[in-house]
Amino acid sequence: MLAIKDVERYTENMVVFPAFSLEIVQHEIVALYSSMNVRSTLLHMLIGKIPLSRGELSIKQATLSGNRTEYLSQLGISFLDDGLYERLTVKDHLIFAQKLSLSPWPIDEVLKIVQLEMKSNVRVSKLTLSEKRRVHFARLLLMDPALFVFEEPVQNVDNETKLVFTRFVNTLSERGKSVLILTGNMETALSVTNKIFRLDEKGLHRYEIIDETEQEDSPSPHPQDKHSAKTENPAETTELPLDIDSPEEQNIPDQEEISEVFVQPVRLEKIPTKMNDKMILFDPPEIDYIESSDGQSNIYVKGDAYPCVFKINELEERLQPFGFFRCHRSYIVNLQKVREVITYTRNSFSLVLDDQAKSSVPLSKSKMAELKEMLGLKA
């Protein structure tokens, strides 16, 4: 449905995002997690406001450069700051949108989908921010494009609207539409899909998401299944000849020796974090630092915090081989991300990271000496 091929954006002073490619097929819901600058840039590229210096954008094989009219007719975008006709009632607003787009959707059905039936005769100016957002959803639905794009669709809205949006997006998917959600909120992304990507100055990266509810619903194999062929019909078992040589004579290793050779411990490198009923797996190099508060460990990645299922002592043990350092009783830092060591007083130190927020992590006095020793500096 949507094909992004080798699209990139550079400014004079920075890389917004390097060349990346992404495809969204029919029925698919994809979330793109990014900064405001990346989201704004990509939206402007999608509508042709920013020309492509490289690559190509196409919707249902129609390109912006080749068939602009056909391309734009398949694209529907809900911008965060979209305006509405405040003097019209909700129903009149949707009737006007329906006439503009020659939509096949019945107004009453649209009102029901966004749960605004009781507000149909209320002026838009009298609606809450959350209700106005639902008018945006309804108006976009009446456009009936092939690709729906949402910019921060549930930012600052109530729980009812969040639920409406989740159901709305699923309805679109069921009806053969494709959905792209641009957001800087991981919870928003997780509420509607498991196919989540991050786009930043380092490129496109897909998050590994595990849905725990799906795992619980899937049937687990019966513990005896592996042996059922042997236990259910003993008559079919084959007896070994009585004069067979012993394992020693055949040079066959016994069970203990086999275990020593083949049973090797599996090293888990991914660090699991939990949000809602889903688990996000991070590679250690992605992590900036870990903070522990009231027994809860939080993993920080690009300024965002993700609750972790492990305690800080467990994380210290797991992450030590990857260059992480326990700089404080409540903090573990990725030494590859440290840019500066700041001394405030003789007993007060801090580590400044090279992330976008220039995060500051405390360094205890005893750990300062240990860090100097690790770096080969004199105490």
Side-chain angles (χ1 to χ4, degrees):
M1 192 69 75
L2 169 67
I4 301 174
K5 295 181 181 179
D6 296 323
V7 172
E8 64 182 13
R9 179 63 178 172
Y10 292 84
T11 63
E12 292 182 3
N13 302 317
M14 64 180 290
V15 178
V16 181
F17 49 80
F20 78 98
S21 298
L22 176 66
E23 288 191 3
I24 303 177
V25 300
Q26 193 175 13
H27 298 284
E28 196 168 38
I29 304 169
V30 173
L32 200 59
Y33 179 82
S34 62
S35 68
M36 184 185 299
N37 185 34
V38 170
R39 292 194 298 276
S40 176
T41 300
L42 192 57
L43 282 169
H44 287 158
M45 284 181 161
L46 283 170
I47 62 176
K49 192 172 181 179
I50 293 179
L52 300 181
S53 58
R54 177 188 173 187
E56 186 177 72
L57 291 169
S58 64
I59 301 176
K60 297 185 73 173
Q61 300 183 341
T63 63
L64 192 58
S65 58
N67 192 337
R68 185 183 182 89
T69 302
E70 177 64 20
Y71 171 93
L72 292 176
S73 70
Q74 303 292 341
L75 174 64
I77 300 180
S78 176
F79 292 95
L80 179 61
D81 57 354
D82 263 352
L84 295 170
Y85 296 107
E86 299 278 333
R87 293 184 180 181
L88 295 178
T89 65
V90 172
K91 190 168 186 177
D92 288 340
H93 200 299
L94 298 186
I95 290 172
F96 178 67
Q98 185 186 49
K99 289 178 179 178
L100 283 177
S101 57
L102 302 175
S103 174
W105 283 89
I107 296 296
D108 290 340
E109 185 178 353
V110 173
L111 287 168
K112 185 177 180 180
I113 289 174
V114 297
Q115 294 188 18
L116 286 175
E117 310 103 298
M118 304 300 293
K119 301 286 184 176
S120 62
N121 294 317
V122 176
R123 281 192 179 187
V124 172
S125 61
K126 302 295 183 181
L127 299 179
T128 66
L129 175 64
S130 297
E131 290 165 345
K132 287 180 180 179
R133 189 63 55 82
R134 280 184 258 163
V135 175
H136 285 300
F137 300 159
R139 187 176 65 179
L140 191 59
L141 182 59
L142 288 167
M143 289 175 59
D144 199 38
L147 174 68
F148 287 73
V149 180
F150 297 92
E151 179 191 15
E152 293 293 7
V154 292
Q155 182 174 295
N156 300 324
V157 300
D158 56 30
N159 290 330
E160 182 184 4
T161 302
K162 291 178 181 179
L163 182 60
V164 166
F165 178 70
T166 300
R167 291 174 177 170
F168 177 62
V169 166
N170 288 329
T171 298
L172 294 177
S173 174
E174 290 167 3
R175 292 180 179 245
K177 305 298 183 179
S178 300
V179 178
L180 174 61
I181 298 166
L182 305 176
T183 181
N185 187 301
M186 183 58 72
E187 238 179 309
T188 298
L190 288 171
S191 67
V192 292
T193 183
N194 284 346
K195 193 164 187 180
I196 303 171
F197 295 86
R198 183 179 73 232
L199 180 61
D200 55 26
E201 71 282 356
K202 295 182 180 179
L204 189 71
H205 170 80
R206 182 170 180 176
Y207 285 99
E208 292 189 49
I209 310 294
I210 298 174
D211 194 328
E212 292 186 333
T213 56
E214 290 180 3
Q215 284 188 323
E216 290 172 3
D217 293 340
S218 60
S220 58
H222 194 280
Q224 294 183 351
D225 283 352
K226 293 186 293 182
H227 310 290
S228 58
K230 295 180 181 179
T231 57
E232 289 180 6
N233 195 350
E236 295 181 0
T237 59
T238 304
E239 294 185 3
L240 293 173
L242 295 176
D243 59 348
I244 190 169
D245 293 336
S246 65
E248 290 79 5
E249 294 172 337
Q250 292 185 328
N251 293 322
I252 298 175
D254 59 23
Q255 185 63 42
E256 186 175 346
E257 290 174 324
I258 292 174
S259 298
E260 289 178 356
V261 174
F262 292 104
V263 180
Q264 298 293 334
V266 177
R267 182 177 177 183
L268 178 65
E269 295 188 351
K270 299 283 186 179
I271 301 299
T273 63
K274 190 171 182 180
M275 189 172 288
N276 300 333
D277 292 325
K278 299 181 181 180
M279 199 167 283
I280 310 171
L281 305 181
F282 288 104
D283 287 316
E286 294 182 274
I287 300 171
D288 297 325
Y289 67 96
I290 295 102
E291 179 186 43
S292 177
S293 178
D294 297 325
Q296 172 65 60
S297 299
N298 289 304
I299 304 287
Y300 282 82
V301 178
K302 292 188 174 295
D304 294 312
Y306 300 87
C308 184
V309 296
F310 294 126
K311 301 297 183 184
I312 193 166
N313 290 338
E314 296 173 294
L315 288 169
E316 180 183 14
E317 184 178 347
R318 286 172 176 268
L319 291 171
Q320 194 171 11
F322 300 96
F324 283 74
F325 177 62
R326 183 77 173 266
C327 57
H328 186 276
R329 65 182 179 182
S330 300
Y331 289 86
I332 300 173
V333 69
N334 183 350
L335 288 177
Q336 303 302 318
K337 303 292 183 79
V338 175
R339 175 60 61 87
E340 297 178 75
V341 180
I342 297 178
T343 303
Y344 293 106
T345 67
R346 291 184 61 187
N347 299 317
S348 178
F349 310 96
S350 183
L351 301 174
V352 178
L353 309 189
D354 62 358
D355 58 353
Q356 189 172 4
K358 302 298 180 187
S359 304
S360 179
V361 177
L363 175 65
S364 64
K365 181 181 179 181
S366 61
K367 293 295 182 177
M368 178 62 168
E370 188 178 335
L371 180 60
K372 284 186 174 182
E373 185 177 345
M374 287 177 61
L375 297 175
L377 301 175
K378 294 182 178 179

